[in-house]
Amino acid sequence: MMDAINALIANFDPAQTAVLVVIFLFAAIVKGFLGIGLPAASMAFLTLVMPPAEAIPLLWLSILATNSLQFAHAPQKREIMREYWPFALAIMVFIFVTAMFIPSYPTALLTAAIGVAMVLFSLNLLLGIKLKIGRGRGWQLGFGILSGTLGGISSIWSPTVAMYLVARDVSKERFIGATGFLFLAGVLPLGAGQLVAGILTGPALIKSALALCVVLVGFRIGEMLRDKVSQELFRKAVLIAFLLMGLRLIANGVS
């Protein structure tokens, strides 16, 4: 651990650190205000200042902490786990496998994958995309594989999870609990895959811990702003921004 701290100090860049603080603060305010969007908001701006493979591990502890809290407050945890375990298992397996090979993916692929995740995320919430799917386990496995693959590459697997739950017409309470469970299911395999890949290093983990401190502050600010700012206006502005940034990332990835 001391070696990691020394390496971090030796490579300390005040300007980059200030930029990262602003990015994580903004992303956490979005999460606290809307209850969604931490990875998407973070990756939208992190990819402007560093390579995707370097940015992705910085989110790990924040994703772990925020989704642990979300699922901890969810009712009917056992029922949710019994219902969605095939979905969770598929996410766990595929997020681990895809995350293991992040260093071997072309930067263009990582950039485009993050862009696709952001576009799906924003369009799903802006337009209320609703698919016609059945109740079978096969649908859960299919969406779990898609979510895990996207999450392992980009660290964003919420769009496909949300699309599945919306298509199933789950209640708001059930939606919050199920998303908390399915997001949490992927966090440890994501970290394990990044560890095997060699991108979740000691310095990266320390940076992730520092980012978490900023995220917790921003999350609280976002919660306090809910009653003072038009939520619908803020929501639309953020989602439109996500859509444009996602399209930019896709364009950069395929160019």
Side-chain angles (χ1 to χ4, degrees):
M1 182 59 72
M2 286 304 301
D3 290 341
I5 294 174
N6 292 333
L8 191 63
I9 294 173
N11 296 295
F12 178 72
D13 183 339
Q16 186 188 56
T17 300
V19 171
L20 293 180
V21 167
V22 172
I23 289 172
F24 281 111
L25 188 64
F26 170 74
I29 290 173
V30 170
K31 172 72 172 176
F33 194 93
L34 300 179
I36 53 174
L38 176 63
S42 299
M43 292 305 298
F45 294 101
L46 288 174
T47 52
L48 296 175
V49 296
M50 61 178 62
E54 185 180 337
I56 286 170
L58 301 185
L59 292 169
W60 186 69
L61 281 177
S62 295
I63 296 172
L64 174 63
T66 53
N67 289 304
S68 295
L69 289 172
Q70 182 172 331
F71 188 55
H73 292 103
Q76 301 178 325
K77 297 181 185 64
R78 290 184 180 179
E79 290 80 357
I80 288 172
M81 289 188 286
R82 277 199 297 266
E83 182 174 358
Y84 295 108
W85 71 264
F87 203 146
L89 181 61
I91 288 176
M92 293 169 70
V93 171
F94 279 83
I95 208 168
F96 173 69
V97 172
T98 52
M100 283 175 57
F101 300 102
I102 284 180
S104 64
Y105 300 140
T107 298
L109 174 62
L110 295 176
T111 302
I114 294 167
V116 168
M118 291 179 61
V119 168
L120 286 174
F121 176 81
S122 54
L123 286 179
N124 182 46
L125 293 173
L126 280 170
L127 305 178
I129 297 172
K130 191 171 182 179
L131 305 175
K132 293 183 179 180
I133 64 174
R135 298 177 58 87
R137 297 293 192 192
W139 285 100
Q140 286 199 32
L141 291 172
F143 271 85
I145 291 169
L146 181 60
S147 300
T149 302
L150 188 61
I153 295 174
S154 68
S155 80
I156 305 169
W157 63 101
S158 59
T160 44
V161 169
M163 288 169 71
Y164 173 86
L165 294 172
V166 169
R168 289 292 309 277
D169 279 324
V170 300
S171 65
K172 182 178 180 180
E173 185 179 81
R174 192 75 160 185
F175 182 91
I176 293 172
T179 52
F181 171 57
L182 295 172
F183 295 162
L184 187 58
V187 176
L188 293 180
L190 177 66
Q194 292 178 359
L195 194 62
V196 172
I199 65 170
L200 190 60
T201 59
L205 197 57
I206 293 172
K207 288 181 180 179
S208 186
L210 296 175
L212 174 60
C213 296
V214 177
V215 164
L216 292 175
V217 173
F219 185 79
R220 181 58 184 149
I221 293 173
E223 287 183 322
M224 292 188 294
L225 287 175
R226 283 180 189 169
D227 297 328
K228 299 180 180 180
V229 179
S230 169
Q231 185 167 0
E232 188 60 25
L233 180 62
F234 184 81
R235 175 179 176 274
K236 285 183 178 179
V238 168
L239 292 175
I240 290 171
F242 282 2
L243 176 60
L244 295 175
M245 287 184 282
L247 292 172
R248 176 190 64 81
L249 289 172
I250 294 173
N252 289 348
V254 299
S255 63

